[in-house]
Amino acid sequence: AETEAAEEGEAAGSGEAAEHEEVPDEYTCPITHELMTDPVLATDGHTYERTAIERWLQRRATSPKSGLALESTMLFPNHILRRIILEWKEMR
């Protein structure tokens, strides 16, 4: 019975929330607070998940982090961070 209870406890703890807690902050989007899969750099110098920042920019032209006006709404792929996140995911 103890083994079954331990297995059930492990199964309950292996959900998405447990995985989310292990994600380093620098790999998460400041808007969604989720692991980024397509990180892009905005002109505020911060990296966001592409779909999240695109939705943000449809409504306003300000930085999600500072609230200040952005010089431009151009987004630039953050290839280095994307590669680092992919390598981190493979090591897990």
Side-chain angles (χ1 to χ4, degrees):
E2 284 182 29
T3 305
E4 288 176 349
E7 287 174 3
E8 285 178 21
E10 288 174 15
S14 63
E16 193 173 315
E19 288 177 18
H20 181 72
E21 291 173 16
E22 299 171 16
V23 177
D25 285 342
E26 58 269 21
Y27 299 173
T28 63
C29 174
I31 299 171
T32 65
H33 304 288
E34 294 178 0
L35 180 66
M36 291 183 280
T37 57
D38 188 9
V40 292
L41 186 65
T43 56
D44 65 355
H46 296 284
T47 298
Y48 304 93
E49 177 62 30
R50 179 182 299 277
T51 55
I53 189 67
E54 286 176 344
R55 279 194 308 265
W56 177 276
L57 294 173
Q58 287 174 356
R59 295 187 296 271
R60 57 188 79 83
T62 59
S63 164
K65 294 281 281 185
S66 69
L68 299 174
L70 294 172
E71 290 179 30
S72 166
T73 57
M74 289 183 60
L75 302 172
F76 307 91
N78 192 333
H79 297 294
I80 294 171
L81 183 58
R82 185 173 189 270
R83 187 174 333 118
I84 291 169
I85 292 171
L86 288 172
E87 290 173 3
W88 175 79
K89 286 172 65 175
E90 287 174 6
M91 292 179 60
R92 295 184 66 205

